């Protein structure tokens, strides 16, 4: 079975995206050594479940549109607090909070770069 082990965010304005994710989730961004504009994203300690990722300057066109890519789900303790943080950091709610029965509460948001991501609060009682 294959698992997601890395994600990548494409951003037109990397500094804006970095400020957003640092402000909402407390992620750390470290510039990759070398000439390419690329940042390694640390989302938490290695001994905890989860994945790390990367951020790259958006480039290239598909069907005449810039590549807008990044769809992963991020676990939080409180989706209401996360919704407020998303809005406070310049993001938008793409799909409102909804139950995923037996799993938790989920909403989809957009970061200031237009990337869509999910935010999940585990709760087996969600219905």
């Amino acid at each position: 079975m294959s698992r997601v082990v890395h994600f990548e965010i494409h951003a037109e304005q990397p500094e804006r995206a970095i400020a957003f994710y640092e402000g909402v989730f407390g992620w750390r961004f470290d510039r990759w050594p070398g000439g390419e504009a690329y940042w390694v994203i640390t989302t938490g300690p290695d001994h905890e479940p989860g994945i790390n990722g990367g951020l790259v300057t958006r480039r290239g066109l598909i069907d005449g549109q810039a590549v807008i890519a990044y769809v992963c789900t991020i676990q939080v303790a409180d989706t209401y607090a996360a919704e407020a943080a998303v809005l406070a950091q310049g993001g938008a709610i793409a799909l409102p909070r909804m139950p995923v029965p037996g799993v938790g509460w989920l909403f989809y948001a957009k970061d200031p770069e237009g990337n869509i991501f999910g935010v999940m609060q585990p709760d087996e009682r969600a219905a």
Side-chain angles (χ1 to χ4, degrees):
M1 179 181 314
S2 297
R3 297 181 64 187
V4 176
V5 295
H6 182 79
F7 63 88
E8 198 164 71
I9 301 169
H10 295 242
E12 182 179 336
Q13 296 182 23
E15 293 76 15
R16 179 173 67 181
I18 289 167
F20 176 81
Y21 287 101
E22 285 175 339
V24 174
F25 298 113
W27 292 352
R28 190 180 80 225
F29 289 75
D30 295 300
R31 184 76 184 249
W32 185 260
E36 184 176 6
Y38 192 89
W39 292 260
V40 175
I41 304 168
T42 302
T43 62
D46 288 339
H47 67 275
E48 291 181 3
I51 61 173
N52 295 316
L55 184 138
V56 64
T57 301
R58 182 174 287 132
R59 58 185 178 265
L61 298 177
I62 296 177
D63 296 328
Q65 297 184 9
V67 176
I68 299 176
Y70 163 54
V71 179
C72 292
T73 298
I74 301 156
Q75 182 174 309
V76 298
D78 180 349
T79 51
Y80 291 115
E83 285 176 332
V86 164
L87 296 173
Q89 292 295 319
I93 305 304
L95 213 68
R97 186 177 188 266
M98 68 189 96
V100 178
V103 176
W105 298 94
L106 172 70
F107 72 90
Y108 288 98
K110 284 187 178 183
D111 71 11
E113 297 296 316
N115 297 304
I116 295 177
F117 60 95
V119 178
M120 170 70 72
Q121 174 185 331
D123 182 355
E124 293 177 357
R125 299 166 294 156

